[in-house]
Amino acid sequence: MESLVVLLLHPMDTYLEQELDRRCRLLRFCWDSPPDRRQGFLRTHSTSIRAVVTSGGSGADAALIDALPRLEIVACYSVGVDRVDLDRCRERGVRVTNTPDVLTDDVADLAVGLAIAVLRRIPQADRYVRDGQWKAKADYALTTRFSGKRVGIIGLGRIGLAIAKRVEAFGCPVSYNQRTKQAYPNYTYSPTAIELAANSDVLVVACSLNEQSRGIVSREVIEALGPRGVLVNIGRGAHVDEHELVSALVDGRLGGAGLDVFEDEPEVPEALLALHNVVLAPHMGSGTRETRRAMADLVLGNLEAHVLKKPLLSPVV
Ligand code: NAP
């Protein structure tokens, strides 16, 4: 695919960048220049760029797609494609790929890790030892058990199912909410997120972001989860009404939260930083060396398949 001109929107992964450089004609999207240089850059290269490589955070909006008349494929280095204008891609006949499956285990591991970290207060316990409080004071305050807790999952897709499988091993009964009821013998379906929250000790958000799931964790859902409930979000920040979440945590109307994603990343609401019932992570669900390599290989494999006119490995559009 030496002749394929690929626009890489921002630095994502060193290996991916090196391989794109080696295998294609790679253009970096003015990474170190002021944003106003980008329009000129696009005008200069618009008739040569045939592929865009983007991330879940950046996506590809209609303005970018429209600025590239020869664009054939948007390869997303994430499974979530909520920031790619899929309708515009369909209209334009632009293919879209993502990186499903290869990241499922790591994201599910993190979801379980966050739930345990919140309930067992692992980060706070670490600080207790480091700060010398264990020696100075006494044993650490008692925490809350994770094993056996009722786990509700919004979105029992690839990642949601992997979470369910893991928490079953902890003796946790699993319920779920999504648009389609499935015939899972071990998992109970809840028709609404509110009902799911009311019957859960730990509520995990693992659905994709779309118009119906935006804000799905509303004030009502948070109230239903209640002062002993824990919210874990490894989906997208926009799934949760963050303002309501923060005020419920501050007021003690919600027991705790483990959050990998936020509404306005990398901004995190200041109030969360002071709370002891919250564990925060910097959108690192898929962030292991093993998975990021596999994601990069999938991006490269999709581009290669496209050039060779073979079936795409993980098509979205
Ligand atoms: P998936 O297999 O497509 O599963 C998505 C699930 O969400 C499906 O079960 C779907 O069921 C459900 N869903 C969609 N719309 C819904 C709605 N309005 N209400 C309730 N459920 C809904 O995707 P996946 O591979 O598991 O990934 C899920 C999401 O995780 C991604 O889209 C991404 O946003 C997020 N993610 C985060 C990280 C991270 O680093 N934190 C990493 C990877 C992925 P129905 O269609 O039946 O509703």
Side-chain angles (χ1 to χ4, degrees), residues 2 17 40 45 48 65 68 70 110 136 150 174 177 180 182 187 198-199 220 225 235 277 282-283 297 312 316:
E2 300 81 32
E17 194 180 326
H45 297 286
S48 56
I65 295 161
L68 302 172
R70 291 196 61 210
L110 186 73
R150 298 167 304 162
V174 173
N177 165 256
T180 333
Q182 302 283 0
Y187 309 139
N199 293 308
E220 292 78 10
L225 192 54
N277 50 351
H283 199 150
D297 282 333
L312 298 177
V316 177

Side-chain angles (χ1 to χ4, degrees), residues 207-288:
C207 58
S208 42
L209 182 62
N210 50 47
E211 277 324 300
Q212 299 97 48
S213 65
R214 192 173 290 277
I216 192 165
V217 180
S218 60
R219 185 170 57 76
E220 292 78 10
V221 169
I222 292 168
E223 295 293 331
L225 192 54
R228 295 168 71 98
V230 169
L231 177 76
V232 171
N233 189 5
I234 51 81
R236 288 283 184 261
H239 283 130
V240 177
D241 184 332
E242 202 166 76
H243 179 76
E244 287 296 338
L245 172 69
V246 171
S247 79
L249 286 165
V250 169
D251 299 348
R253 287 180 286 111
L254 180 67
L259 306 170
D260 184 44
V261 288
F262 303 87
E263 223 167 79
D264 184 24
E265 295 172 7
E267 300 298 325
V268 174
E270 191 72 25
L272 289 180
L273 306 181
L275 293 177
H276 296 298
N277 50 351
V278 170
V279 176
L280 306 169
H283 199 150
M284 52 171 279
S286 65
T288 66

Side-chain angles (χ1 to χ4, degrees), residues 59-73:
D61 61 15
L64 177 70
I65 295 161
D66 289 348
L68 302 172
R70 291 196 61 210
L71 184 63
E72 295 167 15
I73 182 166

Side-chain angles (χ1 to χ4, degrees), residues 39-62:
Q39 286 315 317
F41 180 91
L42 281 183
R43 274 194 299 276
T44 306
H45 297 286
S46 65
T47 52
S48 56
I49 293 168
R50 290 167 54 208
V52 164
V53 173
T54 187
S55 62
S58 297
D61 61 15

